[in-house]
Amino acid sequence: MSQPFSCTTSVPELREIDEDNGEFWVGNPFMFSNVKENLSAYERNGCFLNDRSGSFLDMSYLSGSDNRGDSRTVVGTDIDGDGMAELLIRQVGGGAIVIYKNNFPQKSWLTISLRGEKSNSAGIGAKITVTAGDLTVRRELYPVVNFLSQAPATVQVGLGEHTKVDSISILWPSGEETKLNNVEVNQHIRVFESDGHFEAL
């Protein structure tokens, strides 16, 4: 399938199409619904859990996420405000959007949004370091963009059993740096580049 810049463009095949092997060509994706073809190969989704020893555990079947709905994108974000990211799956068949709730045991967390002034308004590109006791977590604010979807412009930090964040350091795209100390866990905060203060959301 081609990707023309005009809805009237028709791009010729780049090579000979192997129809015996199931290949087909659509010169204009705006007309795809007219060709009666299906892009789905019915592959099952996979979901893997980091076991913290350098390997991953296949939890596709156990989690129920191994559906055959012809998925095109996945976004991880906290939908219900409990600090634990759910998975949103955008798919062609089997229901347009499927949401997998995060049912892992509840731990401490912190969600951070930014409000830039010299930097861009959402703080995209900021480098964030969160320290709680012996735990240091580094993140960069780059919302994931997938097919027909985008994650929120937030940073989610898992804090395990820690009950307080000792420090947060934000290096803004402008080069400015904001430092915060003694921040409560289990909340969503917005940090302002203008004066370095934050508010709970």
Side-chain angles (χ1 to χ4, degrees):
M1 183 165 61
S2 64
Q3 184 62 54
F5 294 105
S6 167
C7 64
T8 61
T9 300
S10 183
V11 179
E13 295 92 338
L14 300 178
R15 61 170 172 76
E16 186 175 341
I17 302 302
D18 184 358
E19 294 181 3
D20 293 337
N21 205 21
E23 292 183 354
F24 64 93
W25 179 264
V26 178
N28 186 330
F30 298 100
M31 301 299 294
F32 187 82
S33 60
N34 294 345
V35 299
K36 308 301 183 197
E37 295 285 358
N38 188 347
L39 291 175
S40 177
Y42 300 104
E43 303 93 345
R44 301 191 82 89
N45 290 338
C47 184
F48 299 87
L49 178 67
N50 186 339
D51 69 1
R52 296 188 177 186
S53 67
S55 297
F56 291 86
L57 304 173
D58 186 347
M59 55 178 289
S60 308
Y61 177 78
L62 181 64
S63 65
S65 62
D66 63 338
N67 73 62
R68 293 173 36 180
D70 195 6
S71 304
R72 302 299 172 91
T73 189
V74 59
V75 170
T77 189
D78 180 14
I79 297 174
D80 53 9
D82 65 356
M84 299 170 62
E86 279 71 46
L87 293 179
L88 282 77
I89 312 295
R90 176 78 170 87
Q91 54 189 26
V92 175
I97 297 178
V98 177
I99 300 173
Y100 292 100
K101 180 169 173 50
N102 190 332
N103 288 320
F104 279 94
Q106 183 73 51
K107 302 290 183 181
S108 296
W109 56 276
L110 185 70
T111 300
I112 302 170
S113 296
L114 301 179
R115 184 54 51 93
E117 185 175 73
K118 292 180 182 177
S119 304
N120 59 81
S121 62
I124 306 297
K127 299 178 192 303
I128 301 172
T129 303
V130 177
T131 302
D134 59 353
L135 176 68
T136 298
V137 179
R138 293 181 177 84
R139 296 279 189 268
E140 292 189 33
L141 181 53
Y142 283 111
V144 172
V145 177
N146 278 322
F147 178 67
L148 297 179
S149 64
Q150 178 177 336
T154 59
V155 166
Q156 293 178 268
V157 181
L159 298 169
E161 304 296 336
H162 296 281
T163 58
K164 184 176 286 290
V165 171
D166 297 321
S167 66
I168 301 172
S169 172
I170 302 166
L171 182 60
W172 298 84
S174 66
E176 297 285 332
E177 187 172 11
T178 298
K179 290 186 178 291
L180 306 171
N181 295 307
N182 299 319
V183 178
E184 296 295 327
V185 301
N186 301 337
Q187 63 174 333
H188 183 172
I189 64 172
R190 178 186 292 132
V191 184
F192 293 81
E193 182 181 20
S194 57
D195 59 6
H197 86 281
F198 72 90
E199 64 182 14
L201 298 177

